[in-house]
Amino acid sequence: MSTASTRLPEGRYGRTSDERADRKLKIIGSVLGVALLGLVGWFGYHYVVQNEISAEVISFEPGKESVKVHLEVRKDAGATGYCTVRSQAEDGSVVGRAELRFTGDATVIDKVFTLRTTAPGTTAELQGCQAD
């Protein structure tokens, strides 16, 4: 006695619904992946190219009522804006904050300033810079 096969002959009736669904998911996934990659590239380009002011804290000296901060700012000639610097206490609470404005044609500005604090500050942290 022989057993009858219940499988359909291959290639005779086209693709199954699972194969069609897999193909659609691959296409949708590829389109979304390319769109996401393009979006990340666009944001990255604008962050690097459009950022006219950047800075870094070179050094700082903590004190009881203030922190002496040495800040170096790099900017485009003629760009104006400000940088925000903060100081934190040993427990992490913010004890001082200052916004320093920059104008003029100089492209590199070295600034040493005193950041007043409400308690002994242990850090000087650059929070960011904004162009006007």
Side-chain angles (χ1 to χ4, degrees), residues 79-91:
T80 61
Y82 62 93
C83 293
T84 304
V85 179
R86 77 173 181 182
S87 181
Q88 292 178 309
E90 199 170 302
D91 65 357

Side-chain angles (χ1 to χ4, degrees), residues 53-59 67-75 79-87 96-103 109-116 124-132:
I53 298 176
S54 64
E56 67 178 315
V57 174
I58 303 297
S59 65
V67 176
K68 188 175 179 182
V69 181
H70 179 193
L71 185 70
E72 181 180 278
V73 179
R74 291 168 302 283
K75 66 181 189 71
T80 61
Y82 62 93
C83 293
T84 304
V85 179
R86 77 173 181 182
S87 181
R97 173 174 281 151
E99 289 183 352
L100 301 160
R101 297 201 65 65
F102 299 100
T103 59
I109 300 169
D110 264 346
K111 178 92 170 168
V112 178
F113 66 96
T114 302
L115 174 63
R116 296 182 144 288
E125 177 184 17
L126 177 68
Q127 288 200 287
C129 296
Q130 294 289 322
D132 289 336

Side-chain angles (χ1 to χ4, degrees), residues 22-110:
D22 286 347
R23 185 168 188 266
K24 286 179 184 177
L25 286 175
K26 287 179 185 177
I27 291 171
I28 291 170
S30 297
V31 169
L32 289 176
V34 168
L36 180 64
L37 187 61
L39 188 64
V40 168
W42 185 76
F43 279 122
Y45 171 78
H46 282 284
Y47 177 76
V48 171
V49 172
Q50 300 295 325
N51 196 7
E52 298 174 344
I53 298 176
S54 64
E56 67 178 315
V57 174
I58 303 297
S59 65
F60 65 93
E61 293 176 25
K64 291 184 179 183
E65 296 179 356
S66 64
V67 176
K68 188 175 179 182
V69 181
H70 179 193
L71 185 70
E72 181 180 278
V73 179
R74 291 168 302 283
K75 66 181 189 71
D76 294 342
T80 61
Y82 62 93
C83 293
T84 304
V85 179
R86 77 173 181 182
S87 181
Q88 292 178 309
E90 199 170 302
D91 65 357
S93 62
V94 176
V95 294
R97 173 174 281 151
E99 289 183 352
L100 301 160
R101 297 201 65 65
F102 299 100
T103 59
D105 290 332
T107 57
V108 177
I109 300 169
D110 264 346

